[in-house]
Structures are given as C-alpha cells and as structure tokens.
Amino acid sequence: MSRSAHPAGPRHADVFPEAHYSAPAADLNVLDEKVWARTVTRDTDGALTVGGITVARLAEEFGTPAYFLDESDFRARCRAWADAFGPDADVFYAGKAFLSRAVVRWLKEEGLNLDVCSGGELTTALDAGMPAERIAFHGNNKTVAEIERAVETGVGRIVLDSFQEIVRVAHIAQRHGVRQRVQIRVTVGVEAHTHEFIATAHEDQKFGIALADGQAAEAVRRALALDGLELIGVHSHIGSQIFDMAGFEVSARRVVQLLAEIRDEHGIELPEIDLGGGLGIAYTSEDDPREPHEIAKALSDIVTRECESANLRTPRISVEPGRAIVGPTAFTLYEVGTIKPLEGLRTYVSVDGGMSDNIRTALYDAEYSVALVSRTSDAEPMLVRVVGKHCESGDIVVKDAFLPADLAPGDLIAVPATGAYCRSMASNYNHALRPPVVAVRDGEARVIVRRETEEDLLRLDVG
Ligand code: LLP
C-alpha cells in the first residue's frame, strides 16, 4: 500500500496545495445518490445493482467497458421536465447528449420533443418514429442536403444561425412550396460560467447572430421579408453545465426585449421563445443541480415579468435540456487492469477504456467521481487517478478521486453521470471499439447500441 493511501499521513492539501479534490468521503462504500442513477443501490453482498441487476452479471453478459443506462430514471426525468414546464411550454431533448432509436421512442412516449443538429441525428429521430413536427433542427452550418431533408420531411422548426442560412432555407422552402417554421438563434452576450468551449452566448464564438450590434434585428427583418419562412420566434442557448440561473435570466430578459423591439418595428408579436439547454448536473458530490420545477419557475417568472413590463403577450417557452435528462441516468463500468502506486504522488489505476469512451476529462478538464462497485471494502482510502489504455498521457478518466487501498486487478469500478456527451463523443482512437449502451429496467437489460467489433473497423477500411 502506498504511503499516500493513508489519510493519517501528510495531508494531501499540504503536499499539493493546488489540488482541487476534496477529502475522501467518510465511507467510500456509500453511493452518493446525487451522482448515481435512481435505481442504483448496493445489494446485500455489497455489489452495485442497477434496475435490480448486479454489475457482476452485467459485466459477464455485456463485457466492459460499457455504459449502463437506467431506463426508468431516464423516463422519470423526461416526465419531470414535461410536468415542470406544463402544457403551455415545450421541452425538446437535445439529442447531441446521447441519441439512439430506443431513446427516441422513450421521448416520444413520454411526450418530449427532440432537438437534432445533424443529418445523422435527424435520420435516427425519423427512423424511430419521432413525428417530424416535434423535431427542431439546429446547427451553425447545416448543409443544403440537410436543409432539403428537414424541409421535405416537415421538421417543426429550423433554428437559423446565419444570414446565409436565412436565405438558403427560404429558397429551399419556396422550391418545395412550403413556408418553413423557423426561429432565429441570437447571441445575447451573456458570459456563462463554464468551460470556454461549452459557453455559447458571449459574442466571440461561432453560434448565433449577435443582439448587441443590431445584427439580430436585421436578421429578423430579412426573415420576415421572405415568403418561404414563417418566423415563429427567437432562440438563445447560453452554454452548458450551468448552475447559476442568473445567466438564463439575463438571456430571457434580452430575448423578450428583442420581441418588444420587433413588435414596435413590425407590428407583430412573435409567439415563441426558446431558452436552450445547458442546465448542470452533479458529477461529484460537490455539485448541486437545480430541479426541473425550480428551473421552470425561474424561467417562466422572468419571462412573464418582462413581458408584462413590455406590454407583450407572454410567448410560449421552450427549453432544450440534454445533459440534465440523460447525464445522471448512466454510468460507465470498467475493469481494473493495472495499478501503479507512485510514491508520494498518487496511484494510477488503469481501466479497459479511457478517453475514447469519455473525452470530457481531457477536453474540458471535467470532474467525475468513481466507486469500487463489484464489492465493498473497509480498506483505507487511497488517492487515485483513473486512466485509460490509450497511448496518450492525457488519457485520464477521473483526475482525482479516492478508492479503497485494497483495489486489485479484476475489480469493477464505475464512473457515474456518464449518460451525456460520453457515448455521443466516443471515438475509435487507437482503434478502440466503442462500448455498447445497455438499457436496464425492472430486472431486464438490453443492448440499445451494440459494442463495435473489429469487423466494424475493417468494414470501414476499404483498403
Ligand atoms: N440546445 C442547443 C442549441 C445546444 O447547442 C445544446 C448543447 C443544448 C441545447 C443542450 O445542452 P445541455 O442541456 O446538454 O447542456 N460536449 C459538451 C457539451 C456541448 C453542448 C453543445 N450544445 C460537454 O460534454 O459538456
């Protein structure tokens, strides 16, 4: 056992004053329900179970690494969002977080709409039977072919992101003899307190049309002048993994101000506003996410208040949560392969996946938690870094965490809250085979996205 394994030794904060991990939990066997899917618990033998099935059985049947998704939790979260916003608002699940045909069917059954941002996501949605009118199509550079398909299939709204796209969509819609329902995505100039690469409403980035310099008002003028477009509203998405409602409130206020300006200039009141997604989830015990009903209340209060003061009819609100729905519902299960204690530093625990199944740690410095799940242990906590098997030292899954010091090769460990932006951003780096997604519910587990095989790799390599 390494010296750093003992909390009684030098305090980690003294050794690494810059370290940002907190002290180990009093009992590493206790699963913090904030970060785990709702049906996750430990059985009497100490093994983690989800949907009533132990991880040992799941690992045996489906292998590792693999994502296990708690279907009843996913459905419950869909319902919580739909109920919180009520019949006078629309919830669009952001498919980029994770999309598969099973997910589309669950969304459809639970009454949610769907936001897609590529032809591939659109195909998945339509193939699984999502009615086109319940789909919103996003993207800062949709191809002509994608726009054609969206218009032809009758997608409910296209969110316009540039002056070129306003003309392009209008032209294609006219050619098809339809008036396409559209929203204009505006950048409201809010600095969301999140990683630079996932903040989207400040001005110096690629999305949307800026409110500040009158560009958004000009975009509205142009859209209203084109026969192929029915402008139904304005859209704003300020970023991701946000806990502070202040950014959303500023965004809502500015969007409503734009509606008032449009009313004053054109004499029309646009019927809808979309406030995007971006609500944060708990990746570690330190994160405190808001509940959907609190979010719904905060947003609808601010919109109602601003509309009253601008003497506007309150528009229909829509939101686009992705991470907040799917993120907490899944965990990634790994098998421990090697364990390397670095004296005075930390212990490196290598698992059978890595940055190919979770790029978020390397890309955004994201924080995750981890637990030993095939058994409990009374051993002392040791400071670990969970790393993958890729040929890259930045291949880190969990930067700083504590696992029991008797951890051994063959143990199963799990990283919770990997439902969003893990499988959807997975890669084949080092010709890794992308892991399956297995939905678990009421004692049954079924593969909804199968594991990639070496034949899949060779099939694409037409040599
Ligand atoms: N609506 C729009 C227009 C978006 O661009 C996004 C996310 C969402 C909704 C959903 O945001 P959510 O509720 O899931 O935060 N790969 C990054 C996140 C990129 C998000 C891109 N757009 C990550 O892993 O954190």
Side-chain angles (χ1 to χ4, degrees), residues 99-405:
L99 197 66
S100 76
R101 288 185 284 192
V103 162
V104 174
R105 285 190 288 271
W106 301 339
L107 294 168
K108 196 175 139 194
E109 286 164 18
E110 302 300 343
L112 262 61
N113 307 295
L114 177 60
D115 140 13
V116 300
C117 67
S118 71
E121 288 182 0
L122 180 59
T123 298
T124 305
L126 292 172
D127 188 82
M130 179 59 84
E133 64 273 15
R134 281 167 61 182
I135 299 176
F137 193 24
H138 275 278
N140 65 302
N141 187 18
K142 308 167 190 76
T143 65
V144 168
E146 286 172 329
I147 299 170
E148 292 265 4
R149 197 138 54 90
V151 169
E152 265 167 27
T153 53
V155 156
R157 65 172 68 155
I158 296 180
V159 183
L160 302 172
D161 194 275
S162 65
F163 285 102
Q164 288 88 353
E165 202 172 73
I166 293 173
V167 178
R168 234 170 254 165
V169 173
H171 182 72
I172 292 170
Q174 230 175 351
R175 203 149 34 74
H176 285 81
V178 296
R179 276 190 92 205
Q180 176 62 47
R181 287 159 55 86
V182 295
Q183 289 187 337
I184 291 176
R185 175 160 175 180
V186 301
T187 35
V188 293
V190 172
E191 291 276 355
H193 298 289
T194 187
H195 191 280
E196 184 194 353
F197 292 169
I198 50 179
T200 57
H202 53 297
E203 266 117 30
D204 187 7
Q205 48 82 34
K206 70 172 185 166
F207 290 109
I209 302 176
L211 262 185
D213 55 3
Q215 296 284 302
E218 177 58 19
V220 169
R221 258 172 236 131
R222 295 192 195 179
L224 288 174
L226 291 165
D227 287 341
L229 304 181
E230 179 189 346
L231 182 63
I232 58 165
V234 177
H235 182 288
S236 162
H237 171 77
I238 58 171
S240 277
Q241 186 56 4
I242 301 166
F243 293 108
D244 185 357
M245 290 305 289
F248 289 98
E249 293 188 4
V250 175
S251 161
R253 195 170 306 132
R254 296 194 181 155
V255 164
V256 172
Q257 277 162 10
L258 177 63
L259 292 194
E261 283 166 33
I262 295 169
R263 187 257 332 264
D264 295 344
E265 182 177 341
H266 303 280
I268 53 165
E269 293 192 26
L270 295 183
E272 297 192 22
I273 61 173
D274 190 311
L275 296 173
L279 285 312
I281 62 164
Y283 285 103
T284 73
S285 298
E286 271 152 44
D287 296 327
D288 277 312
R290 305 272 184 134
E291 292 296 323
H293 66 88
E294 292 176 76
I295 296 160
K297 183 165 177 353
L299 293 182
S300 88
D301 282 355
I302 181 88
V303 172
T304 310
R305 203 163 57 234
E306 292 299 312
C307 287
E308 269 166 17
S309 79
N311 203 18
L312 273 172
R313 247 194 331 269
T314 308
R316 192 176 175 86
I317 299 175
S318 50
V319 286
E320 299 169 335
R323 183 190 328 258
I325 292 178
V326 72
T329 68
F331 61 83
T332 315
L333 188 64
Y334 300 104
E335 187 180 289
V336 173
T338 61
I339 299 175
K340 224 181 250 181
L342 299 190
E343 197 57 34
L345 289 172
R346 69 187 87 235
T347 296
Y348 278 75
V349 174
S350 295
V351 294
D352 46 358
M355 66 194 299
S356 55
D357 58 71
N358 187 349
I359 190 66
R360 298 193 68 260
T361 308
L363 193 55
Y364 313 122
D365 218 13
E367 291 189 21
Y368 281 92
S369 21
V370 61
L372 169 61
V373 292
S374 42
R375 61 186 173 92
T376 50
S377 162
D378 294 327
E380 295 292 338
M382 68 172 165
L383 177 64
V384 300
R385 178 159 286 175
V386 179
V387 294
K389 68 198 293 296
H390 294 282
C391 287
E392 181 142 338
S393 52
D395 172 25
I396 298 168
V397 180
V398 185
K399 222 170 8 171
D400 299 301
F402 289 89
L403 283 171

